[in-house]
Amino acid sequence: MNSVIPVGFGLEWEFAVFVQDGLLDKPITGPRAALKFLHENFRHQTGAPFRAAIADCNSALRYRCDAEIARLSFIAAYADYRVKLDRR
C-alpha cells in the first residue's frame, strides 16, 4: 500500500527567531531551518529542550502540531544551549 505523507518544507513562522552566528544575527524562519540549525550548530545535542525542539519541528513539518509550538520549543532549546555555552 502506498501512501503520501504531506510535509511542509516551505512552512515558515510569522516571526523569525534571531540567533547569534559568529558576529551576526541569523534569522531562523521556520521548522526546517530550525532543524538544520539544531543539527549543524549545537555542539551539545543533549537535554530535554533540545529533544523537544527536534520532535516539535519534525511534527510541525508533518502538520501534526502547530508551527508556533515548534518555534517556542526552538527558542527554549536555543536559550538552554546558550546557558550551557556560558557555563564553560
Side-chain angles (χ1 to χ4, degrees):
M1 175 190 297
N2 292 333
S3 60
V4 176
I5 299 171
V7 179
F9 288 123
L11 185 63
E12 291 191 352
W13 297 321
E14 185 175 353
F15 300 103
V17 176
F18 287 86
V19 296
Q20 191 173 13
D21 189 21
L23 298 175
L24 303 172
D25 287 338
K26 176 181 181 176
I28 304 298
T29 58
R32 183 177 182 198
L35 282 171
K36 183 176 180 184
F37 188 83
L38 290 165
H39 285 297
E40 293 179 359
N41 296 90
F42 275 42
R43 285 182 274 165
H44 311 288
Q45 297 183 354
T46 61
F50 177 82
R51 289 189 303 275
I54 294 292
D56 289 344
C57 287
N58 278 318
S59 291
L61 287 174
R62 286 179 276 165
Y63 302 106
R64 293 185 177 161
C65 84
D66 188 272
E68 186 61 19
I69 292 171
R71 182 177 181 273
L72 295 173
S73 290
F74 175 74
I75 291 169
Y78 183 70
D80 182 64
Y81 177 72
R82 295 298 305 192
V83 167
K84 288 176 183 175
L85 283 181
D86 289 344
R87 285 191 203 155
R88 294 181 189 258

